[in-house]
Amino acid sequence: MKICYIWIERFRNFSNEEFNLASEYKFKYNRDDNTIDIEYLYKLPIDFFGENIKEVTAFVGKNGAGKSNALELICKVIKNYKSTINTNYLIIYEENGQLECRYNFDDILEPNSNFDINIEKFESQINPLKIVFFSNVFDERRNNFGKEITDVSVNNKYFRNSLSKKRETSDFLKQIKFINSSIFKNLNIDYPNKVVISTKVFSNRFNSSMEEKIL
């Protein structure tokens, strides 16, 4: 099984967003006319990513772009967590050479396509498919995954070891606290060699803000 495409109407910082996750296909869902289009790309050699690895996809972007949101969304869509997504979405995956589409729409009918694909209402989870979620971002986010998703992220490890501790309000203090924790030591990651504190100072002379950095 290979996950190929996800479209979401809205989720966190995403609005009418799509994610193409396959190397040999490029899909496009048009919300206005409710159609799915496909573009066939160059097919990679067999075992290009290694034996038993179907696909490798990377999300690249600056902080706050939505990389962690995208990973969380993929996990929840695959397992059809309607209650936590609460919007229209569809997913396309390939199984045994056949393209499959599962959609969850409240206000529109089944999407149309001009290529060979089996389209059905998303009634249950896509099985059998085991999911492991990992993110090294530490921002105290609770993903609230169900039992079907194994969460080995830094946030989840932190929460399991600090449920009775009072929440800090400063992100800076959270990071310092985490770096000094036993969890960080077990990750075998080098300690930062410096701390950069950025402040914005308004200048009357230039009528603009300037950023100062303290090392």
Side-chain angles (χ1 to χ4, degrees):
M1 179 183 293
K2 179 169 66 176
I3 307 301
C4 300
Y5 176 81
I6 289 176
W7 173 86
I8 189 81
E9 187 173 50
R10 62 182 181 277
F11 182 80
R12 301 280 172 79
N13 62 326
F14 301 132
S15 178
N16 190 27
E17 191 64 73
E18 59 185 352
F19 302 92
N20 274 286
L21 307 173
S23 300
E24 56 191 278
Y25 307 112
K26 184 177 181 180
F27 298 92
K28 177 70 178 179
Y29 173 67
N30 189 312
R31 182 74 166 86
D32 294 331
D33 57 15
N34 195 28
T35 58
I36 305 172
D37 296 320
I38 187 173
E39 178 183 352
Y40 294 95
L41 306 177
Y42 178 76
K43 195 169 184 177
L44 296 176
I46 298 175
D47 295 334
F48 180 81
F49 296 111
E51 189 177 358
N52 298 324
I53 300 177
K54 293 287 186 180
E55 193 70 67
V56 175
T57 303
F59 289 95
V60 181
K62 63 181 181 180
N63 291 342
K67 300 184 296 295
S68 296
N69 289 341
L71 293 176
E72 179 185 349
L73 172 65
I74 291 172
C75 293
K76 290 184 174 181
V77 168
I78 291 174
K79 290 303 180 181
N80 198 22
Y81 284 179
K82 298 179 182 179
S83 60
T84 58
I85 301 176
N86 194 29
T87 188
N88 294 326
Y89 58 90
L90 66 80
I91 181 172
I92 297 176
Y93 61 95
E94 185 180 45
E95 186 171 19
N96 298 324
Q98 173 65 45
L99 289 174
E100 303 280 346
C101 175
R102 299 294 179 266
Y103 68 95
N104 182 54
F105 294 160
D106 293 331
D107 56 346
I108 53 180
L109 301 175
E110 175 181 306
N112 300 308
S113 67
N114 58 359
F115 58 96
D116 183 22
I117 185 171
N118 181 33
I119 302 176
E120 296 181 9
K121 180 76 173 178
F122 213 154
E123 299 292 351
S124 60
Q125 301 176 1
I126 299 177
N127 289 313
L129 192 62
K130 297 180 180 179
I131 300 177
V132 177
F133 176 86
F134 171 75
S135 174
N136 63 350
V137 175
F138 176 64
D139 56 7
E140 287 196 330
R141 174 190 295 188
R142 288 183 180 272
N143 292 311
N144 295 321
F145 291 134
K147 296 180 180 179
E148 299 86 0
I149 300 175
T150 302
D151 187 355
V152 295
S153 64
V154 173
N155 278 332
N156 190 51
K157 289 185 177 182
Y158 174 80
F159 276 121
R160 288 205 309 265
N161 290 276
S162 60
L163 291 177
S164 61
K165 297 180 181 179
K166 184 178 179 180
R167 292 174 60 88
E168 301 286 353
T169 57
S170 168
D171 287 340
F172 180 73
L173 290 178
K174 293 175 187 176
Q175 298 288 347
I176 295 298
K177 193 173 184 179
F178 175 65
I179 290 174
N180 284 287
S181 69
S182 59
I183 300 173
F184 183 86
K185 294 177 182 178
N186 293 331
L187 294 176
N188 294 321
I189 300 175
D190 293 336
Y191 285 96
N193 55 19
K194 65 179 179 180
V195 175
V196 178
I197 302 176
S198 299
T199 60
K200 288 188 176 181
V201 180
F202 186 81
S203 172
N204 291 324
R205 179 180 178 184
F206 297 103
N207 194 27
S208 62
S209 62
M210 298 181 297
E211 187 176 84
E212 294 183 348
K213 291 186 177 181
I214 304 174
L215 301 181

